[in-house]
Amino acid sequence: MQFHSEVAPRTCVDIHTLEAVALAATRSAAVASYAWVGRYDQEAADAAATKAMREALAEAPGRGTVVIGEGEKDDAPMLFNGEIVGNGNGPDFDIAVDPLEGTSFCAKDLPGALATIAFGEPGTLWSPGPGFYMDKIVVPPQARDVIDLDDPPERTLVNVAKALGKKVSELRVVIMDKPRHKELITRVLQAGAAVQTPAGGDVGGSLAVLLPTLDVDLLLGVGGTPEGVMTAAAVGALGGGMLGRLAPQRAAEADAIRAAGMSLGRVYNCAELVSGDAFFVATGISGGSLLGRPRECAGMTTAESLLISRGEIRYITHTTFG
């Protein structure tokens, strides 16, 4: 697979080159924000991660467009929708980005903070415009054909359990611990499933569904659209199932979505959120079951990353000196 430019053929770039750029970007963001782990300063941590990622992306061979970023949603200083990155000497590509997924985890030194990014060919990544939040279901490949975002959670649990060859009581469900999910969590528990309720980090929760080493069966609830698009890149690469629908949390957001001519009722499947070749990368910041935190020893810094691309999951440890 190659990302092509409309100019001379010499500007075609092998996907491995862009994977290396993505890994460098998330590693840089992770190491920069790690200095702020446990310092209770979310803004400083986010700014450090964003600055480092932007500087790394500036070296990318080509012209990248931030199709979906965190700038508008979190009032972040950089990497906003429509921003251009790269050195221009190569193909066009699109990116979805969250330099610091789980800012509160980083600030409070809790496990789960990640630096994340997804790359895709131009036009591959869906842009939600002014929609910042999305209702989502994420499931493993075996259950991708049995989910419906309009189903009540009880029916979803029954259908997913059957597809996975389990009882509902054996399911483990990730739902973020937010006031908006109080009823959903109650209903899932009453149906008999177990619930994991992280304070945030729905990318990490979705990855837990997809990775065979982690004991999670599905993710439910409302999270960010940047996280949704990045999640879809990983889900699509691994053959999982995902559905999403814009879920504005404020009247102004809903009005902006309608003004942009977008539907609040449309359900998007994974192939619509990411419609072509794409890959996903994450690097650990505050540690946890998914990826460890950066480690410094004897003048060396080691970071742990995850690359999901073309049906493969690769764990990569990278050490820098100085």
Side-chain angles (χ1 to χ4, degrees):
M1 178 170 57
Q2 289 183 325
F3 285 53
H4 293 280
S5 170
E6 294 182 358
V7 295
R10 65 181 177 83
T11 64
C12 293
V13 173
D14 182 271
I15 189 173
H16 296 298
T17 301
L18 291 180
E19 289 175 349
V21 170
L23 284 163
T26 57
R27 287 177 190 136
S28 295
V31 171
S33 58
Y34 181 67
W36 293 95
V37 168
R39 298 185 182 276
Y40 277 66
D41 193 336
Q42 296 187 35
E43 292 184 3
D46 194 38
T50 304
K51 181 177 184 292
M53 181 174 281
R54 189 172 191 267
E55 290 175 352
L57 290 173
E59 303 300 319
R63 182 178 185 273
T65 301
V66 180
V67 174
I68 184 165
E70 289 287 290
E72 294 89 343
K73 175 174 173 281
D74 291 342
D75 196 25
M78 300 177 188
L79 290 172
F80 50 85
N81 294 7
E83 184 169 354
I84 304 299
V85 300
N87 61 22
N89 298 319
D92 292 342
F93 55 90
D94 289 347
I95 61 175
V97 58
D98 189 348
L100 177 47
E101 155 75 348
T103 52
S104 65
F105 295 162
C106 178
K108 299 176 182 178
D109 197 1
L110 298 173
L114 302 169
T116 59
I117 198 169
F119 275 50
E121 294 182 300
T124 292
L125 307 180
W126 174 69
S127 175
F132 298 146
Y133 291 90
M134 172 185 286
D135 193 10
K136 310 166 190 172
I137 299 177
V138 178
V139 295
Q142 306 95 305
R144 65 185 178 187
D145 296 325
V146 303
I147 53 175
D148 186 331
L149 207 51
D150 291 322
D151 280 347
E154 295 84 358
R155 184 178 302 164
T156 295
L157 295 173
V158 169
N159 290 341
V160 171
K162 183 177 180 181
L164 298 181
K166 295 183 175 184
K167 301 176 181 178
V168 170
S169 60
E170 296 174 314
L171 294 180
R172 302 189 68 82
V173 186
V174 173
I175 306 172
M176 287 193 296
D177 187 10
K178 303 289 185 181
R180 60 181 177 262
H181 292 149
K182 182 178 180 180
E183 179 184 351
L184 175 61
I185 292 170
T186 298
R187 292 175 67 173
V188 170
L189 288 171
Q190 289 178 343
V195 178
Q196 294 183 11
T197 53
D202 57 332
V203 171
S206 298
L207 292 174
V209 173
L210 299 169
L211 301 178
T213 56
L214 299 178
D215 186 23
V216 177
D217 298 297
L218 69 155
L219 175 138
L220 297 173
V222 174
T225 47
E227 294 86 349
V229 174
M230 285 184 286
T231 293
V235 172
L238 296 178
M242 179 177 179
L243 298 174
R245 177 170 50 205
L246 291 175
Q249 298 301 293
R250 296 178 177 83
E253 183 185 353
D255 291 341
I257 292 170
R258 295 189 189 95
M262 303 177 70
S263 170
L264 291 174
R266 178 176 175 179
V267 175
Y268 297 86
N269 61 35
C270 186
E272 291 171 316
L273 295 172
V274 177
S275 59
D277 289 331
F279 62 87
F280 169 87
V281 174
T283 300
I285 296 173
S286 61
S289 58
L290 183 63
L291 290 166
R293 62 179 64 199
R295 301 181 298 279
E296 298 179 359
C297 180
M300 300 180 294
T301 301
T302 301
E304 295 183 9
S305 300
L306 171 70
L307 170 63
I308 297 177
S309 177
R310 299 172 295 173
E312 296 183 347
I313 303 168
R314 283 178 272 170
Y315 290 91
I316 302 161
T317 300
H318 180 78
T319 300
T320 56
F321 298 87

